[in-house]
Amino acid sequence: MGARRPYMRTMSKTSWFMTHARFKTYMLHEISSVFVALYMWLLIDGLFRLAKGPEAWEAWLSFIKHPLVVVISLIAFAFFVIHTMSWFKAVPQAMRIQQGEHFVDGKLIIGGHYAALGAFSLFVLILAGVA
Amino acid sequence: MSKRTIQLEVLRYRPEQDKEPFFQTYTVPCEEEWVVLDALNYVKDEIDRTLSFRWSCHMFVCGSCGYKIDGEPKLGCKAFLRDYGDNIRVEPLDNFPIERDLVVVIDDFVEKLQSVKPYIIAKEEKALAAGEYIQTPAQLKAFKQYSMCINCLLCYSACPQYGLTNQEFIGPAALALAHRYNMDSRDVGRSAREHVLAAHEGVWECSFVGACSVVCPKDVDPAGAIQQAKFTSAVDYLTSMVGIGGK
């Protein structure tokens, strides 16, 4: 009997996600959250400008109307939608609701989240005087 | 019965003579209803008896025949040849040292499994004569899905976190099983498992790639179990902060 000599294959720490389509999608999803974070920063900046006074606020308003900022905002919005969808899709896995011997259908839980999102969005739009 | 011929590319590694693994191709005449495991057994019986691989039940119960087939962790007995092309690549599971050919060293997993105490820790042991521990169907339902694990390790092979942490991460199957016992109405061992589950290498190392649940041949959904365990762990932490304490 020969001596044992287990062989460990190496895994690249920097390009591991290129080895499978599933991992590429995962990494793109993670990287896209940078846009979401940038957009959050833009909104928070808007709040600070509002606190500073009417001139700063008007300057911020004209800044976000710049075509380049509009394009970036649209990209960020698309990623917001993707992240919302993937988050809601994961909810039934992370939050199972048991009723007796059955679990509440995952589609109902996801649907409930979309309904809550819709209701809250409508509330914000009414509050803003848009709807 | 129609016959077809496939080229089976198998990763070989014979520690006594090979410096590193290499692919060896076998030409296998196969039947329509064959699975990859049948093709491997054909090679073993008819072409090359030196080929090593684990298998036992041939009906996805024992969990022995996990291999990476065309880049995806699969059970060899559940991977039908009709779902593949004429060239099929079979490798050992990722993230484990290769002992020989398709056989991997699973000692690390066995240690991790033991560390989560995968058995019922009852409040007080009953004498056998005192009868069984009663459980309602609803209480059984709460954890049954997570008890279906057959320790095939496909989830560890699919999990990038297990590889990226150099196998430090406790990993999907062990964590799902820990959650299974924590959810069991007969068990009071949550605090005894907490130091493993709530550790950095425990549930918090999981970044929810979700690959474990995709490849699981028994629909255990380890990723879901881990997310639930994260929630429980966070609640336990917060309640211990304010001095209420958990289960």
Side-chain angles (χ1 to χ4, degrees), chain B residues 167-224:
Chain B
Q167 290 71 44
E168 290 288 317
F169 177 37
I170 298 293
L175 289 172
L177 218 54
H179 185 61
R180 168 252 177 277
Y181 284 98
N182 280 348
M183 299 282 285
D184 194 315
S185 58
R186 300 163 294 181
D187 184 273
V188 292
R190 202 163 98 196
S191 55
R193 298 183 190 100
E194 189 69 2
H195 70 284
V196 180
L197 250 79
H200 187 69
E201 299 76 26
V203 292
W204 301 104
E205 191 65 71
C206 168
S207 58
F208 206 175
V209 176
C212 53
S213 296
V214 175
V215 302
C216 179
K218 305 299 279 186
D219 295 324
V220 169
D221 189 14

Side-chain angles (χ1 to χ4, degrees), chain B residues 3-30:
Chain B
K3 284 239 184 202
R4 76 165 168 141
T5 303
I6 59 159
Q7 303 297 315
L8 202 65
E9 281 181 79
V10 185
L11 196 74
R12 301 293 314 272
Y13 174 63
R14 299 157 298 179
E16 68 281 359
Q17 62 186 99
D18 301 327
K19 259 190 155 172
E20 54 187 35
F22 66 98
F23 279 102
Q24 185 165 352
T25 304
Y26 300 101
T27 303
V28 182
C30 50

Side-chain angles (χ1 to χ4, degrees), chain B residues 32-106:
Chain B
E32 169 67 19
E33 72 278 9
W34 275 16
V35 289
V36 168
L37 181 57
D38 294 319
L40 286 169
N41 272 325
Y42 180 90
V43 173
K44 179 92 176 170
D45 294 343
E46 308 290 337
I47 305 173
D48 184 353
R49 66 178 66 179
T50 70
L51 181 65
S52 296
F53 52 96
R54 286 195 180 109
W55 74 283
S56 183
C57 75
H58 201 293
M59 48 191 233
F60 31 103
V61 170
C62 75
S64 304
C65 66
Y67 320 118
K68 199 164 86 163
I69 301 169
D70 274 1
E72 192 78 354
K74 292 264 182 194
L75 290 181
C77 64
K78 213 181 172 186
F80 283 88
L81 295 179
R82 58 173 172 258
D83 297 328
Y84 292 86
D86 290 335
N87 286 291
I88 304 175
R89 183 169 266 210
V90 187
E91 299 169 64
L93 293 177
D94 277 338
N95 299 330
F96 292 98
I98 304 172
E99 181 77 53
R100 173 184 292 274
D101 298 338
L102 299 175
V103 178
V104 292
V105 183
I106 61 168

Side-chain angles (χ1 to χ4, degrees), chain A residues 36-127:
Chain A
V36 176
L38 281 176
Y39 193 74
M40 290 299 289
W41 176 76
L42 183 72
L43 289 182
I44 291 166
D45 183 51
L47 276 177
F48 278 108
R49 300 293 173 103
L50 184 64
K52 268 188 178 172
E55 272 180 38
W57 173 245
E58 287 302 326
W60 185 80
L61 279 183
S62 60
F63 173 70
I64 61 164
K65 282 174 189 159
H66 188 281
L68 195 64
V69 182
V70 170
V71 170
I72 292 171
S73 299
L74 284 174
I75 294 170
F77 179 72
F79 285 136
F80 261 108
V81 172
I82 291 169
H83 279 265
T84 304
M85 286 168 70
S86 56
W87 182 259
F88 285 0
K89 193 175 151 222
V91 171
Q93 269 182 290
M95 191 184 76
R96 297 205 297 184
I97 302 170
Q98 191 177 351
Q99 281 183 329
E101 292 172 36
H102 301 281
F103 289 106
V104 173
D105 190 352
K107 285 181 192 131
L108 262 177
I109 298 175
I110 297 172
H113 276 71
Y114 277 109
L117 175 71
F120 188 74
S121 301
L122 191 66
F123 171 73
V124 170
L125 288 174
I126 290 169
L127 206 67

Side-chain angles (χ1 to χ4, degrees), chain B residues 129-150:
Chain B
E132 60 276 76
Y133 294 93
I134 303 294
Q135 189 164 58
T136 67
Q139 287 170 329
L140 171 68
K141 182 73 180 180
F143 68 83
K144 192 179 178 192
Q145 181 182 11
Y146 306 128
S147 71
M148 305 308 281
C149 175
I150 55 171

